[in-house]
Amino acid sequence: MSANARFASMLHEMASMLELLGEQGFRVAAYSKAARAIEGLTSDLSTMQPAQLLAVDGVGEKMAQRAAEYLATGTMKDYAQLKAKVPEGLLQCLGVPGLGPKTVRAMWTTLGVTDIAGLKKAMDDGSLANLPRMGEKAVQKIRDALATIEQGQGRLPLGLAVAIAERVLAVVRAQPGVIRAEAAGSLRRGKETVGDLDIIACVEKLDAGLAQAVMRAATSMPGVQRVLVQGEFKASMLLSVEPPSPAEQAAPEEAKAAEPHPHQQTSTKVLQVDVRVVPRVSFGATLQYFTGSKEHNVRLRALAQTKGLTLNEWGLFLDSTWKPFHEAGPVSASRPLPDGVVDASEEGAIYAHLGAPFVPPEMREDRGEFGSAATSGVALDVAHTARALVRVEDIRSELHSHTTASDGVLSIEQLARAAHARGFHTIAVTDHSQSSTIARGLKPDRLRTHMQAVREVHAKLHAELGMTVLAGSEVDILADGNLDYSDELLQQLDVVVASPHASLKQDAATATKRLLRAIEHPLVHIIGHPTGRIINQRAGLEPAMHELLAAAKQHNVALEVNSHWSRLDLRDLHVRMACEAGVLLAIDCDVHHPDDFANLRFGIATARRGWATKDMVINTWDGPTLHAWLRRKR
DNA sequence: GCCGTTTTCGGCCCGACTGTTTTCAGTCG
């Protein structure tokens, strides 16, 4: 974990502890907000001047002092004092759904409960049910929540969550009266893992019967374990997560062989799914609202307030029209919505009316998308970035793929034709190098034969389709930074993708030196999955990213955004750092199986989360431009 | 604790759902 991440996590912990001590809400929120701001920084805390840190939105005098203290001593006096007051186990109790700060504090101060074991005891002997505002049903909910946690309820990798969302959407869209339905939440923002699904279904007019029918269809679909809540327009349920299908398991070999990450939770087996039914006039507002992030929405609603408007999940309203309506009680089917200020059936209208540029979902993290918050010394032009963000349809080449020569399932020609069918002008065949024995890496003599075979396919398909098939290799970056083939051999390859595959637990300084050597190598074009992390399984390398980026810029090397949902490496924050440093990106699918081309959407989402524009991504270039760039290293 | 084209003090986003209530607090997103 980087110093930024460690400091931020301590602030988060302090927020929870203050909450349990009964501290005022806004003070608690200030800690959380500062923690999030630090997490989103693209600069190392240690390299920032005090004035730069104070310029970060959410970081004031006190937090800046704490950062200095943390950097100097590795800890903080305030943090230690809080730790001494609040038992460790209470923080786990706070993580149980349905248990908030008020309840945990009450059971701590009046029942002496200090951990999960004590909580279970208090439920069994009936003392918990005797707390104010507690009863048998509330206790049962906590029991169920504990059981769900023990079953394994972590965050699900994006690729698996998307597959489940599409199943739910199919059921909802099939209901009579449903005009459209979309997934919102962190899935729509393209986050690398998803905690729950938010499904928004749209009907023409609010109708309680219709809404109930849609929610019944969802809550009775196969795999539903438990219905958590069911109101007039919203239902929540727990859905079993089936093991990945064979196609979904077409993960890279190394991913399958990966050792479990020390912090890995038991694998996720249930996913919470919320289904909401809204009228057409509200659909855009609801989609916006539940796409989040929470922090982005807080800012957007505050913006609405400055214009005397109220923004909520039903639309954008004049205070004078919404407030009296609201005072009469919650919205219901029998009480029609008041007219909003704008037609909120599309979310773009809301941004437009508030005078904010439309923010693509992937950028809605309150990391500067409103043009105010500083995340580093470098300012990217928000409006331009939002318009020029790289899209799936911009990608014209694949530069990282495997055939049956190493661990892929396609022949060279099948691979090239699959790439052509997706509209690509170029594919690079980059089978593994000799040290990746698990993946049947090629010894030098096999590589020479393989290159010849690739060039024959190129001659054929270039004549037939105008397709370019490049002879490349995914060359191991060995533990000391040497490459896995001689320079004489590398020189003959059209494309060299250099990737770390083994020794992924080395310390930061060693990893930095290792990757720098690869970047500085004059025959290397792209660094593949630079950290080697596997989501939820392996932390991977933690090199000094700023040093790598400076070197990549200097040596004109592109860093990969590996699109496989188990990798997404570079990750979103690293992409943002690369864009601020002006470093080129290669968004690739690391194709082993024909289905892997479909993972491109996840790599694109990750790149967009890092504010990557089309011009920074070498796969968007036309053939001549890309080929000329590759030849500059030969 | 942070912040300022309504403020250096007094605010800080907004609503649904649930369970315990007897009008609403707690939790969640």
Side-chain angles (χ1 to χ4, degrees), chain A residues 351-605:
Chain A
Y351 286 90
H353 192 87
L354 294 176
F358 180 77
V359 181
E362 297 91 341
M363 287 175 68
R364 299 182 195 168
E365 296 290 347
D366 190 24
R367 296 203 167 146
E369 66 269 25
F370 291 107
S372 50
T375 59
S376 74
V378 187
L380 296 170
D381 179 341
V382 180
H384 169 262
T385 301
R387 278 195 307 273
L389 228 45
V390 65
R391 301 166 303 172
V392 167
E393 56 268 35
D394 293 329
I395 299 297
R396 306 292 316 284
S397 60
E398 168 66 44
L399 300 173
H400 184 169
S401 66
H402 300 268
T403 68
T404 50
S406 61
D407 59 349
V409 304
L410 297 173
S411 70
I412 300 167
E413 183 167 343
Q414 286 171 329
L415 187 61
R417 287 190 184 277
H420 181 262
R422 302 194 83 91
F424 293 174
H425 56 66
T426 297
I427 183 158
V429 177
T430 58
D431 279 299
H432 287 284
S433 63
Q434 53 190 337
S435 288
S436 283
T437 48
I438 292 180
R440 301 184 61 235
L442 279 61
K443 296 266 190 241
D445 54 337
R446 278 188 69 211
L447 176 59
R448 288 197 178 86
T449 313
H450 190 49
M451 283 167 58
Q452 187 54 40
V454 171
R455 294 202 160 113
E456 282 165 15
V457 172
H458 167 73
K460 177 179 172 186
L461 294 190
H462 197 262
E464 182 187 330
L465 305 168
M467 185 76 188
T468 299
V469 188
L470 297 173
S473 174
E474 182 184 14
V475 183
D476 268 37
I477 304 172
L478 305 176
D480 59 3
N482 278 315
L483 297 186
D484 201 20
Y485 289 131
S486 69
D487 288 0
E488 176 271 329
L489 198 48
L490 294 175
Q491 177 74 43
Q492 297 176 46
L493 293 163
D494 304 322
V495 182
V496 172
V497 178
S499 312
H501 285 110
S503 300
L504 295 172
K505 288 182 178 168
Q506 55 192 182
D507 63 79
T510 311
T512 304
K513 266 205 279 194
R514 173 191 192 178
L515 292 168
L516 277 177
R517 282 198 64 191
I519 291 170
E520 289 161 1
H521 194 293
L523 297 171
V524 169
H525 296 101
I526 297 167
I527 303 297
H529 47 72
T531 74
R533 65 107 171 230
I534 302 292
I535 290 170
N536 284 357
Q537 287 184 46
R538 181 171 74 198
L541 303 173
E542 293 177 352
M545 200 50 74
H546 282 98
E547 290 184 46
L548 299 194
L549 293 170
K553 173 84 178 162
Q554 184 190 342
H555 294 276
N556 202 12
V557 166
L559 298 193
E560 179 179 80
V561 179
N562 190 292
S563 297
H564 198 284
W565 49 261
S566 69
R567 290 196 180 275
L568 299 179
D569 178 15
L570 299 178
R571 69 191 67 190
D572 50 11
L573 188 61
H574 291 157
V575 172
R576 178 80 176 263
M577 292 162 71
C579 291
E580 289 179 359
V583 170
L584 293 172
L585 300 169
I587 304 179
D588 284 314
C589 289
D590 196 351
V591 179
H592 287 73
H593 184 281
D595 292 345
D596 289 347
F597 283 106
N599 286 328
L600 183 58
R601 61 189 288 194
F602 307 126
I604 291 287

Side-chain angles (χ1 to χ4, degrees), chain A residues 10-301:
Chain A
M10 288 170 89
L11 291 184
H12 276 305
E13 222 181 316
M14 289 173 83
S16 295
M17 292 188 287
L18 286 167
E19 214 172 14
L20 290 175
L21 289 168
E23 188 56 70
Q24 193 215 130
F26 293 115
R27 188 155 170 252
V28 172
Y31 279 77
S32 301
K33 187 175 180 185
R36 271 195 40 85
I38 304 287
E39 279 167 353
L41 286 178
T42 55
S43 300
D44 282 332
L45 272 183
S46 57
T47 67
M48 291 177 80
Q49 299 300 313
Q52 283 178 300
L53 196 50
L54 283 169
V56 175
D57 197 38
V59 177
E61 204 60 56
K62 207 70 180 279
M63 293 295 174
Q65 277 172 20
R66 290 204 170 94
E69 184 188 359
Y70 168 75
L71 287 170
T73 67
T75 185
M76 292 170 273
K77 277 209 289 289
D78 293 347
Y79 175 81
Q81 279 171 6
L82 286 170
K83 288 295 268 189
K85 280 190 209 162
V86 182
E88 187 87 37
L90 281 184
L91 297 178
Q92 269 113 57
C93 295
L94 201 53
V96 176
L99 279 183
K102 297 278 166 54
T103 312
V104 173
R105 180 170 161 76
M107 69 194 207
W108 176 32
T109 54
T110 67
L111 303 177
V113 169
T114 57
D115 54 20
I116 298 280
L119 168 62
K120 285 182 177 169
K121 198 159 153 285
M123 290 194 293
D124 291 342
D125 66 20
S127 56
L128 191 68
N130 287 331
L131 286 179
R133 303 202 70 84
M134 279 300 241
E136 280 312 319
K137 285 180 99 164
V139 170
Q140 188 55 43
K141 282 202 157 182
I142 296 167
R143 273 190 214 283
D144 291 344
L146 278 174
T148 300
I149 288 174
E150 282 164 11
Q151 236 188 336
Q153 193 197 31
R155 293 180 67 88
L156 203 62
L158 178 62
L160 299 179
V162 162
I164 293 171
E166 282 167 359
R167 288 212 327 257
V168 181
L169 284 170
V171 168
V172 169
R173 285 173 181 150
Q175 285 306 299
V178 173
I179 304 168
R180 60 186 293 200
E182 301 292 342
S186 53
L187 182 137
R188 182 159 179 254
R189 301 201 310 279
K191 273 196 85 163
E192 63 190 38
T193 59
V194 171
D196 55 21
L197 295 183
D198 294 286
I199 304 292
I200 318 291
C202 174
V203 296
E204 185 57 39
K205 286 235 152 48
L206 270 185
D207 176 302
L210 192 52
Q212 288 301 315
V214 172
M215 291 188 295
R216 256 200 314 277
T219 55
S220 57
M221 68 180 278
V224 174
Q225 265 197 4
R226 195 161 73 232
V227 177
L228 298 172
V229 297
Q230 176 141 17
E232 207 174 356
F233 306 112
K234 175 197 161 174
S236 261
M237 60 198 188
L238 289 179
L239 199 58
S240 301
V241 176
E242 290 156 25
S245 71
E248 289 166 340
Q249 272 175 344
E253 283 302 321
E254 318 85 61
K256 280 184 250 172
E259 293 170 42
H261 186 252
H263 305 300
Q264 186 187 3
Q265 303 178 350
T266 49
S267 64
T268 305
K269 297 198 186 76
V270 288
L271 187 65
Q272 182 171 329
V273 181
D274 297 348
V275 179
R276 289 182 171 76
V277 183
V278 299
R280 195 187 55 77
V281 291
S282 291
F283 183 74
T286 310
L287 191 62
Q288 196 287 321
Y289 190 93
F290 287 102
T291 294
S293 66
K294 191 171 181 242
E295 292 76 14
H296 173 89
N297 286 355
V298 165
R299 218 170 251 285
L300 198 64
R301 287 199 287 277

